[in-house]
Amino acid sequence: VSAAKILVEDGTYVIAVKEEGVYYAASTEANGARRAYVQLSGYTSGDYVSHDSKIVWTITNKASGITVSSGDQYWKAVTNGISMVESGDASMITVAKSTTDNAYLLSCDLGSDGIRYVSKNTTYGFGFYAESNKEDIYFHNNMFGRKYYLPIHK
């Protein structure tokens, strides 16, 4: 990993957005070319207890960004979607600090389609969408099978 500042440590996380006070987590389940979402029911603050492995992601820092994976499947950024692929085809995703406390922006340069940002479409789910649709992303520390701490504070 390069000397660039690491904003999100390697580890397992719930990756979520917050809309109108409700958290929605990215799921390993597909919804077309996108990742389905799961509402974190009843969560408002403090600890969130869950045993749902479908919302647990592994973040790994690389020299040119982060990878997001579940088991041996990795995020591949596609226009308006997120595919799951083998590690050799994984996208290097850029992490930037948002202006919102404890939130981040995730993006990937898709060449002729430009830079796309991770966000949740209400109908279809999580994908890499145009900048006009970007949302704050929250990485919630995962202690799988015990507690998810929402949100992280650094």
Side-chain angles (χ1 to χ4, degrees):
V1 177
S2 72
K5 183 177 179 183
I6 294 175
L7 295 177
V8 179
E9 298 292 331
D10 289 359
T12 55
Y13 295 88
V14 174
I15 298 173
V17 298
K18 182 179 178 184
E19 296 175 346
E20 298 180 14
V22 177
Y23 285 94
Y24 297 91
S27 171
T28 58
E29 292 186 359
N31 184 5
R34 297 160 184 91
R35 299 293 100 205
Y37 60 87
V38 174
Q39 181 177 338
L40 301 181
S41 298
Y43 174 76
T44 55
S45 65
D47 297 343
Y48 180 80
V49 178
S50 175
H51 298 283
D52 187 356
S53 64
K54 294 177 185 172
I55 61 172
V56 177
W57 298 96
T58 300
I59 303 296
T60 306
N61 283 275
K62 306 285 186 179
S64 55
I66 65 166
T67 59
V68 178
S69 63
S70 176
D72 62 355
Q73 295 292 297
Y74 290 75
W75 280 14
K76 171 81 174 174
V78 296
T79 301
N80 299 329
I82 299 173
S83 295
M84 297 297 288
V85 297
E86 301 295 320
S87 64
D89 293 322
S91 292
M92 288 298 125
I93 300 166
T94 301
V95 179
K97 189 76 180 94
S98 171
T99 56
T100 304
D101 285 346
N102 303 309
Y104 300 86
L105 299 172
L106 299 183
S107 64
C108 194
D109 188 341
L110 296 182
S112 62
D113 284 338
I115 295 175
R116 297 292 179 132
Y117 292 82
V118 173
S119 61
K120 181 187 78 64
N121 174 293
T122 301
T123 303
Y124 302 110
F126 282 82
F128 282 86
Y129 298 104
E131 183 175 9
S132 60
N133 297 313
K134 71 183 175 186
E135 289 184 277
D136 290 332
I137 301 295
Y138 296 87
F139 291 95
H140 306 307
N141 284 329
N142 169 48
M143 294 174 61
F144 184 66
R146 290 183 277 172
K147 295 179 180 177
Y148 298 117
Y149 291 95
L150 308 178
I152 62 173
H153 298 281
K154 292 195 177 198

